Amino acid sequence: MEESATPVLDVLLHPIRWRIVQRVLGREVTTTDLKRDLPDIPATTLYRHVAALIDAGYLTVVRERKIRGTTERTLTLDQTKVGRIDEREARAMTPDQHRQAFLMLLTRLAADFDRVVESGDLYPRMHQLGYSQLALYLSSEDMAAFRAGFEKLIEPYLAESPGKDRVVLSMFSLPDS
């Protein structure tokens, strides 16, 4: 992978760190939870990438507790920081880096969809599943207003709370030529 002038690419554009971010997205998890959820990643590798995400400020340690001589950390993620590439960072990226970031997101999305379909839990939760594509007609100002309005709309639903299921929402906007 090419070196980048952007913090997003330096930290997040790595398949293991991206998977960690996706598992923490919208909830608090322990490092033990991550080991259970990502069994194909060796523990030392997992801890190294968790540390990189903490050092970069993407993950925050919200609690620590001693368990049999070791410290278990509970982690959370600032959802407003992850998955958004500002214009300065986007302009610093090469076309291949944009392709790599987008492909990584699509690959993770497809893997998550397969996991839900194969779990046998799909039909009882159909009300939480949706996929569609729309064409919107927006000026630059309209797009900024749309994003601001959407962020205001979803903000009350970003925090984990009792009685609510975690649903991952993925959206894309692409200019049509």
Side-chain angles (χ1 to χ4, degrees):
M1 177 172 65
E2 296 177 32
E3 284 300 311
S4 166
T6 71
V8 170
L9 291 183
D10 290 341
V11 178
L12 294 179
L13 203 52
H14 185 284
I16 292 175
R17 287 193 288 269
W18 184 252
R19 289 178 63 199
I20 292 167
V21 164
Q22 292 300 300
R23 296 310 307 154
V24 180
L25 186 66
R27 59 179 152 188
E28 292 182 359
V29 300
T30 65
T31 48
T32 302
D33 295 331
L34 287 173
K35 285 192 309 189
R36 182 195 64 235
D37 292 348
L38 304 167
D40 59 312
I41 301 173
T44 55
T45 301
L46 182 69
Y47 291 139
R48 185 176 68 247
H49 288 290
V50 165
L53 289 164
I54 291 170
D55 291 345
Y58 288 97
L59 293 182
T60 302
V61 178
V62 291
R63 278 185 301 287
E64 291 183 339
R65 67 181 185 140
K66 295 283 185 191
I67 298 178
R68 290 172 280 181
T70 188
T71 302
E72 180 179 70
R73 299 181 292 182
T74 300
L75 308 165
T76 192
L77 174 79
D78 180 356
Q79 292 193 76
T80 63
K81 190 173 183 180
V82 175
R84 298 179 189 195
I85 298 172
D86 66 26
E87 187 171 348
R88 182 194 58 78
E89 291 171 316
R91 288 183 183 280
M93 292 169 65
T94 67
D96 283 342
Q97 288 170 327
H98 279 285
R99 284 184 194 98
Q100 183 181 3
F102 191 69
L103 182 58
M104 192 163 55
L105 179 62
L106 289 177
T107 301
R108 190 71 241 149
L109 184 62
D112 288 345
F113 185 80
D114 285 344
R115 181 183 43 77
V116 169
V117 169
E118 296 300 321
S119 73
D121 195 28
L122 178 62
Y123 295 109
R125 298 179 69 189
M126 285 300 283
H127 64 285
Q128 295 174 328
L129 176 69
Y131 42 93
S132 64
Q133 189 172 31
L134 304 170
L136 304 176
Y137 295 86
L138 307 166
S139 67
S140 295
E141 294 80 19
D142 292 336
M143 188 64 182
F146 178 82
R147 284 184 176 148
F150 185 74
E151 287 174 9
K152 185 177 179 182
L153 175 70
I154 65 170
E155 198 261 331
Y157 308 102
L158 294 177
E160 185 176 12
S161 61
K164 294 190 177 185
D165 293 330
R166 178 177 180 258
V167 176
V168 177
L169 176 65
S170 300
M171 295 185 61
F172 306 95
S173 62
L174 301 171
D176 191 14
S177 52

